[in-house]
Amino acid sequence: MTDLTKLTLAGARDALKKKEFTSLELTDAYLGAIEAATPLNTYVTVTADQAREMAKASDLKLGKGQGGALEGLPLGIKDLFATKGVLTTACSHILDGFKPPYESQVTQNLWHDGAVMLGKLNNDEFAMGSSNETSFYGPVVNPWRRNGDTTKIVPGGSSGGSSAAVAAKLCLAATATDTGGSIRQPAAFTGTVGIKPTYGRCSRWGVVAFASSLDQAGPIARDVRDAAIMLRSMAGYDDKDSTSVDRPVPDYEASLGQSLKGLRVGIPKEYRVDGMPAEIDALWTRGIEWLKAAGAEIVDVSLPHTKYALPTYYIVAPAECSSNLARYDGVRYGLRVPGKDITDMYEKTRAAGFGTEVRRRVLIGTYVLSAGYYDAYYLKAQQVRTLIARDFTEAYAKCDVLLTPTAPSAAFGIGEKTADPLSMYLNDVFTVTVNLAGLPGISVPAGLSSDGLPLGLQLIGKTFDEETLFRVAYALEEAAQFKAEPAVWWRS
Amino acid sequence: MSVDQNTVRHIARLARIAVRDDELSALAGELNSILDWVEQLGEVDTNGVEPMTSAVAVTMKMRDDVVTSGNLQKEVTENAPGSEDGFYVVPRVVE
């Protein structure tokens, strides 16, 4: 039998329906691939027995010609999603041993549609990071390497386990979350497709909270079609999340292949930032040419508050994280470090349980929310956020979708940026605006850097217009013909 | 605005995170570099601008006021550091 892990999600779906192989065979192929890929450190928990049980149940359904949209398809789940009875720590020491007695709504939706869970994927601690180096379980290694070089490269973050596992074919697709770029930047760094849908499109119920007004779930997948299939199953209204939005979920796959005739693509001039590598600029120009050739009209637009997006984010996100993470106190679950009194126990538990990046953000958040500073920082940031969202509204009077690079560089080496938090934060310069405005964004692989690492282009859409994003992303994918794959060096 | 070591100690206390004295100086440096950087928001004229309270305009939905879940004593106590007779046992948190 050929290597089953080479099939895309759509390919495997169609083959399972035709009974070319069973879900159990497919699942075993993935479990074998995962076992042989320990140097990548993508999975923090492998649920092999559960995966085989789910696959067998799917095979019974498929045998009768039944089953959901994802019946029998093995997926990886970011450790930020609560999975019933399965260790869920958000890759933080403070959640040691926590097995949720409930399932997140997004994963529940996937199981309802027949998907098979392979295990939990590594991520930056509490999704705080852009390189997957802040995980308590150690960094994830990108399957991609620079040409002729064995330096370990980061897979992006925070969904680095998801992006690396999809790129290394250790699952058909993966769930991920995006607060400032955590789906799109890792997708760009690994040659995969990642979409952050509109805020409210996916339920946040059972997703470990980082910054609640920015967090949104979405998939990372091998191609645009697979991402469309995944998002359709993940999305939907949930009465347990009051910010989830009650509107029908379209068949995103139906948007693929539709013409771009008459579509207006905006090019925001503020995204041409100082010091942007020439190859990123060239990639962007190529993307513009591709969409023009596909029939789209190119329009210059301005998003004047772009430069304030990152500083705004680094007030809003830490403020919300310091509030959300207040619940981890060592009293009710997870890690507890004993102390001489209750305050001492809280302080020791949180000192031992949080890593340095999480601690840094909790402290910043506590400071900007503290008495006397709230107006100067948090209120000001929320006002600037209104202006950033307004920029997009004004741009969308002239265009239907925006095209930008996903990240200001290709992936970097492990340890290269950890010494300087600010240089790490700058990774999200093109993605963070989208979270602040609640908009959908997708990253599509579009080429290789001069040293052989993947580069991505980002499309930003109007609120709840994921269909246009998928349509344009598919056209980009068709034009880019990105077929490069990482050489398999990690297999033991 | 700039934070000194005493301010860091105060914030850490508010955040209930124990910080060693020998960490204060480095932490103050890191926090200051981030705070200096976000200071640029001061350039933006936000007079009369409403702060954003919701990323997507939605009207909060009301659900029926009915019991939809319950009788989960076993599940609720599964992660408890200690439990007795179906109760959750924790250290005394109210002095």
Side-chain angles (χ1 to χ4, degrees), chain A residues 465-477:
Chain A
D465 192 14
E466 283 81 4
E467 285 167 288
T468 298
L469 277 193
F470 280 119
R471 173 157 64 110
V472 186
Y474 188 75
L476 265 187
E477 180 175 72

Side-chain angles (χ1 to χ4, degrees), chain A residues 141-155:
Chain A
V141 180
N142 196 329
W144 291 84
R145 287 171 162 182
R146 293 178 186 130
N147 292 331
D149 185 338
T150 58
T151 307
K152 286 181 179 172
I153 302 294
V154 304

Side-chain angles (χ1 to χ4, degrees), chain A residues 8-14 70 172-173 193-195 219-233 251-258 442 444 469-471 473-475 477-478:
Chain A
T8 61
L9 183 85
R13 171 190 67 180
D14 299 345
L70 298 173
L172 277 168
V193 174
I195 178 165
I220 291 181
R222 294 199 200 155
D223 61 20
V224 174
R225 181 177 301 279
D226 286 2
I229 296 167
M230 280 290 287
L231 184 61
R232 189 186 186 188
S233 285
D251 177 3
Y252 298 119
E253 213 182 342
S255 306
L256 312 183
Q258 288 182 18
I442 189 168
V444 182
L469 277 193
F470 280 119
R471 173 157 64 110
Y474 188 75
E477 180 175 72
E478 290 280 288

Side-chain angles (χ1 to χ4, degrees), chain A residues 97-101 198-199 213 237 242 245-246 305 307-308 310-312 314-315 331-333 336 342-343 345-348 350-351 354 359-360 362-364 366-368 370 373 376-377 379-387 389-390 422 425-426 436-438 463-464, chain B residues 1-3 7-8 10-20 23 27 30-35 37-56 58-61 63 75-76 78-82 88-95:
Chain A
F98 181 65
K99 290 183 179 172
T198 310
Y199 185 80
S213 77
Y237 174 64
S242 62
V245 173
D246 191 3
H305 294 90
K307 70 176 277 211
Y308 301 110
L310 268 177
T312 300
Y314 277 97
I315 292 173
V331 174
R332 292 152 299 155
Y333 48 81
R336 179 189 293 168
I342 189 72
T343 302
M345 184 193 88
Y346 292 148
E347 292 187 343
K348 283 185 171 147
R350 289 163 65 81
F354 293 147
R359 175 176 73 172
R360 187 178 296 131
V362 168
L363 293 178
I364 288 277
T366 304
Y367 180 71
V368 301
S370 64
Y373 295 110
Y377 288 110
L379 194 73
K380 179 82 183 180
Q382 292 289 51
Q383 287 176 309
V384 179
R385 201 174 163 188
T386 297
L387 296 174
R390 197 179 287 168
L422 279 178
Y425 296 172
L426 292 175
L436 290 168
T463 305
F464 294 109
Chain B
M1 283 171 266
S2 160
V3 300
T7 315
V8 176
H10 175 64
I11 304 167
R13 171 39 76 105
L14 289 176
R16 297 289 185 269
I17 299 178
V19 172
R20 293 191 319 268
E23 297 175 296
L27 269 173
E30 283 173 15
L31 299 192
N32 277 323
S33 75
I34 296 169
L35 292 169
W37 174 65
V38 302
E39 210 65 41
Q40 58 179 297
L41 292 189
E43 299 165 13
V44 186
D45 180 6
T46 50
N47 264 327
V49 177
E50 281 291 311
M52 185 185 277
T53 49
S54 173
V56 170
V58 283
T59 316
M60 204 68 92
K61 283 181 66 130
R63 64 166 175 80
E75 288 85 344
V76 168
E78 259 168 19
N79 282 287
Y88 214 104
V89 181
V90 299
R92 187 186 179 96
V93 293
V94 182
E95 303 295 335

Side-chain angles (χ1 to χ4, degrees), chain A residues 182-471:
Chain A
S182 284
I183 290 176
R184 293 157 287 154
Q185 182 254 23
F189 278 13
T190 56
T192 56
V193 174
I195 178 165
K196 180 205 92 76
T198 310
Y199 185 80
R201 184 68 288 186
C202 291
S203 169
R204 291 183 296 108
W205 196 81
V207 181
V208 176
F210 160 18
S212 303
S213 77
L214 304 162
D215 297 343
Q216 188 56 203
I220 291 181
R222 294 199 200 155
D223 61 20
V224 174
R225 181 177 301 279
D226 286 2
I229 296 167
M230 280 290 287
L231 184 61
R232 189 186 186 188
S233 285
M234 291 169 73
Y237 174 64
D238 173 15
D239 62 10
K240 297 186 296 308
D241 173 8
S242 62
T243 62
S244 86
V245 173
D246 191 3
R247 53 190 292 155
V249 181
D251 177 3
Y252 298 119
E253 213 182 342
S255 306
L256 312 183
Q258 288 182 18
S259 162
L260 302 195
K261 281 266 166 349
L263 186 92
R264 297 164 306 164
V265 178
I267 309 299
K269 66 170 190 235
E270 290 80 5
Y271 280 56
R272 193 154 272 125
V273 294
D274 290 345
M276 184 160 83
E279 60 186 8
I280 302 282
D281 208 0
L283 181 86
W284 194 10
T285 306
R286 228 174 308 151
I288 293 169
E289 294 306 321
W290 287 332
L291 293 183
K292 214 188 275 178
E297 183 194 336
I298 305 299
V299 193
D300 288 323
V301 297
S302 173
L303 300 169
H305 294 90
T306 298
K307 70 176 277 211
Y308 301 110
L310 268 177
T312 300
Y313 177 84
Y314 277 97
I315 292 173
V316 174
E320 294 185 11
C321 103
S322 75
S323 306
N324 273 325
L325 270 55
R327 74 190 69 177
Y328 305 109
D329 57 9
V331 174
R332 292 152 299 155
Y333 48 81
L335 182 74
R336 179 189 293 168
V337 179
K340 62 182 183 328
D341 55 31
I342 189 72
T343 302
D344 195 41
M345 184 193 88
Y346 292 148
E347 292 187 343
K348 283 185 171 147
T349 299
R350 289 163 65 81
F354 293 147
T356 52
E357 182 59 28
V358 171
R359 175 176 73 172
R360 187 178 296 131
R361 296 201 197 187
V362 168
L363 293 178
I364 288 277
T366 304
Y367 180 71
V368 301
L369 290 177
S370 64
Y373 295 110
Y374 179 89
D375 285 1
Y377 288 110
Y378 191 71
L379 194 73
K380 179 82 183 180
Q382 292 289 51
Q383 287 176 309
V384 179
R385 201 174 163 188
T386 297
L387 296 174
I388 289 166
R390 197 179 287 168
D391 283 354
F392 281 102
T393 308
E394 283 167 13
Y396 285 137
K398 294 202 283 178
C399 66
D400 305 300
V401 67
L402 299 162
L403 176 74
T404 78
T406 307
S409 72
F412 41 90
I414 288 180
E416 280 175 19
K417 296 200 182 201
T418 39
D420 178 6
L422 279 178
S423 79
M424 187 68 88
Y425 296 172
L426 292 175
N427 261 290
D428 296 330
V429 62
F430 300 139
T431 48
V432 74
T433 51
V434 174
N435 300 77
L436 290 168
L439 300 170
I442 189 168
S443 177
V444 182
L448 291 175
S449 69
S450 56
D451 49 9
L453 295 175
L455 300 172
L457 285 172
Q458 173 179 239
L459 294 158
I460 304 171
K462 296 177 182 171
T463 305
F464 294 109
D465 192 14
E466 283 81 4
E467 285 167 288
T468 298
L469 277 193
F470 280 119
R471 173 157 64 110

Side-chain angles (χ1 to χ4, degrees), chain A residues 110-134:
Chain A
L110 294 172
W111 316 142
H112 175 267
D113 278 355
V116 169
M117 175 164 79
L118 291 166
K120 303 300 288 290
L121 294 164
N122 206 339
N123 51 249
D124 277 299
E125 183 182 5
F126 285 112
M128 296 179 205
S130 304
S131 62
N132 215 118
E133 292 171 280
T134 73

